[in-house]
Each structure stands twice: as C-alpha cells, then as structure tokens.
Amino acid sequence: MKKIPESTFRIALGTVVALIVLAVYAYPLALASEVHVPDDYSTIQAAIAGANSGDVIVVYEGIYYENIHFLGKAITVKSTDPNDPAIVAATIIDGNQAGHVVKFEAEEGSDFRRLGINALLSGVTVQNGKAEYGGGIYCYYSSPTISNCMIIGNSAGQCGGGIYCVSSSPSITNCIIMGNSTEISTSTEEKRGSGGGIFCAYDSSPDITNCIIARNSTSNGGGIFCQGAVFLSFGMGIPVGGGLPRPKITNCTIVENTASVSGGGVLSNLDVWVYFVEEFLLSGGTFKYFSAPIITSSILWDNYPDQVSGKRIQITFSDIQGWFPGIGNINADPLFVSPEAGDYHLQPGSPCIRTKGKYQYEMGAYGHQVFRRQSSYHYRSTRGY
C-alpha cells in the first residue's frame, strides 16, 4: 500500500478540521429565523432573550419603553425599513431615563465575526436614556454595527451622553447623534463630563461614517471625545495595558456642539498622570491618555469653544472653521440649507463639494446629496435640539 506523503496528510487533516469548525459555527446560522415585535414577542428584550445568533428581530413602528441588552448574541434588531427616515423616526426605543437604552457588553458576535456575522442595530430611534456612562448606547468590550439610527436626547452622569465605547470599536454609519449631553465639569483633570455625543476610550477605534453629530454638550469633547491609555512602569518603558486608539471619522458633519472646557467638536486627549500603585507591586509609573483620530472629508463648524482640541489628530480634505493643517483642508462657510432647523444638507455651490481640479472631494454626511432630503435623515425636534 502506497504511503501517503506527510504534507498531503496534514493538508487533508487541516481541511477536515476547518470543515468541522465551519459546521459548528454555521449550524446555528442555518437555523436562524426572523421574529417580529410586537406580533411574536410583546417586547424587544423578550425577543432578544428568545433569539439565537443569526436571528433577525424586526420591530414595528411604535414607542417601546425599554432598556435592552443584546446578551452577547450576534443578532439583528431593526425597524421594518431602516432606509426610510419616517419609519426610523417612528420606531422608538425610549429608555425612560432608567439606564442605557441599548447595551452591548458581552463581546456580541465575537464567535461569529469570522463568518461576517455581527450584532446589528439598525433603523431605530434611541432616546431618553440616562446612566452614569453611555446614556444612549453602551459598548464595553463589544464592537457592534450601528446603522441608520437616530440617537437623540440621551444623557450621562460622566461620559458618553449618546454613545459610550470602552475597549470597543463599533461601526457607526448613517446615524444622527444629536441633543445628547453629560454633566458639566469645569476641570480638565477628570473625565467627568466627556463626550456629549460619542465617548471612546482606551483601545477603542470606532469607524464613524456619514453621521450627523450635532448640538451635543459636555465639558470636554462636545461632539466626540477620544482617549487611549497605556501604563509605562518606571525604568522599563514597557506598555502594560491599553493601546493606541485610532478612531476613523469619515464624511461626518460635526456642528453646533458645545464644551464648557475644550474640544467643542472633537477632543483627542493627551494627559500624563503619575500613579503609585503599591497593591500591584509597582512603585510608580506614567499613565498616558492619548488617541490618534483620523478625520477625512468631514465638516467641523460652529462648535464651541473650538472645532478641534488636542494632539495626534490627523485631518484631511475637510472644512474646519478657523482651519486646521492638513492636505485639502479648507475654511469656508459650508452653506448648509437650514442649520437652524437641523437641515445640514449642502446648498448648490457649497465649497464642500468639488468635482474638478487636482483635489476632488465631497465633505460632510450628505456630500453630493444636495437638497435630496427624502433620501437622507432630516431631524426636526420639538425639544429644540
């Protein structure tokens, strides 16, 4: 009997193992089902509790007074049509000021991400949440996808009025993040009151694309607050924890946010702290907070007291009031249609659209969608956001 070459045997064995692993992960997905709220379940949380990874939960129009937790499942929670602004506005999860409106904190989808399956929240309005951290959406060691959502009127005692991310890198796409807030502090020496719209810290590198981030308020980082953490022990220079977060902010409109201390639009923090942590057998060290956001094709305008604050921020092909160094950056009135009414589409002739010349670009969340109000979100609020 001819002996099978060892290399062939290893390839065959590897193939068998791969097929077994694929079967283990794919089997639950093959049984995935779609359920409806309130037809099949009276609440969204009940539907989540009964769901398996891969399932889709379709939420009909209405106001659901809930504080939901994805329970570590790679499931989809969505409205009947996430691409219809009217349906998104009418499909509301209201936190009733009783905690986070939506919570991801159990590495949602980590077991299925290799198959392209992830936790997804799409096409709903997230409002009226209130918590110490993450009034609207709370992400802790989780990286869900959040798309076509309105995250409005949420508050946090400390950080992340709209969205809170720690060691999390969610994908946030086509969302309106507006009118969120944190408590206000007058000190730059603490994180209390950080990230009115979005707070991302430690090794969080969210991908924020085509979003309106407007009229949020806090102490530091009215629109977005970015911060990393690395502990360096004295004499060794060895990073013990954390990493260099690189949030990516692309084609976003960041406007009319306020911060009582710094970073009305975006704040990237770079503070140095010295600690003496005897209980961890460290005589001391340097604890550095820093982040390196990458902002591209965006508009930062009319934020208070400034548009951008901090170091390690890279901005290109963007419109920044007062200007900021970077390739293709400009300082020109973006010519919004009606900012006082919350309409941040661009008027014809806006300098944020350039289709000729060496550099061609479309800045902001709407880009080329000039006046195409029906195809994009246009948020009007009776609360004055």
Side-chain angles (χ1 to χ4, degrees), residues 82-285:
N83 294 311
D84 186 332
I87 290 178
V88 174
T91 308
I92 301 168
I93 309 176
D94 189 304
N96 203 28
Q97 298 193 20
H100 325 290
V101 183
V102 182
K103 181 187 290 188
F104 302 93
E105 66 167 357
E107 299 186 5
E108 274 81 1
S110 60
D111 289 339
F112 292 87
R113 201 165 293 132
R114 68 195 68 187
L115 298 178
I117 305 298
N118 194 16
L120 169 64
L121 179 70
S122 183
V124 300
T125 295
V126 174
Q127 69 177 33
N128 202 25
K130 185 177 183 179
E132 276 297 288
Y133 301 93
I137 298 176
Y138 177 92
C139 301
Y140 184 75
Y141 284 91
S142 293
S143 300
T145 297
I146 303 164
S147 66
N148 299 88
C149 289
M150 294 174 63
I151 302 159
I152 58 175
N154 302 284
S155 63
Q158 302 233 17
C159 309
I163 301 176
Y164 175 86
C165 305
V166 164
S167 298
S168 302
S169 299
S171 173
I172 306 169
T173 307
N174 297 329
C175 290
I176 288 180
I177 303 164
M178 181 179 285
N180 304 285
S181 63
T182 75
E183 289 185 10
I184 302 298
S185 169
T186 58
S187 172
T188 59
E189 300 301 315
E190 60 175 345
K191 289 184 290 182
R192 174 177 289 275
S194 297
I198 300 174
F199 175 92
C200 49
Y202 305 110
D203 55 343
S204 296
S205 297
D207 194 342
I208 307 167
T209 307
N210 286 110
C211 290
I212 298 285
I213 302 170
R215 301 181 186 177
N216 303 286
S217 61
T218 187
S219 303
N220 297 285
I224 303 173
F225 179 94
C226 305
Q227 187 175 75
V230 174
F231 187 89
L232 303 176
S233 63
F234 282 142
M236 297 182 68
I238 301 174
V240 175
L244 176 62
R246 298 188 69 87
K248 294 181 180 179
I249 302 165
T250 308
N251 281 109
C252 287
T253 299
I254 304 172
V255 293
E256 299 182 290
N257 300 285
T258 60
S260 63
V261 179
S262 64
V266 177
L267 172 63
S268 178
N269 210 9
L270 178 56
D271 292 334
V272 179
W273 300 77
V274 177
Y275 289 91
F276 298 93
V277 195
E278 295 179 356
E279 59 268 37
F280 289 101
L281 302 179
L282 293 171
S283 61

Side-chain angles (χ1 to χ4, degrees), residues 191 293 303 309 354:
K191 289 184 290 182
N303 299 288
S309 180
R354 182 174 179 177

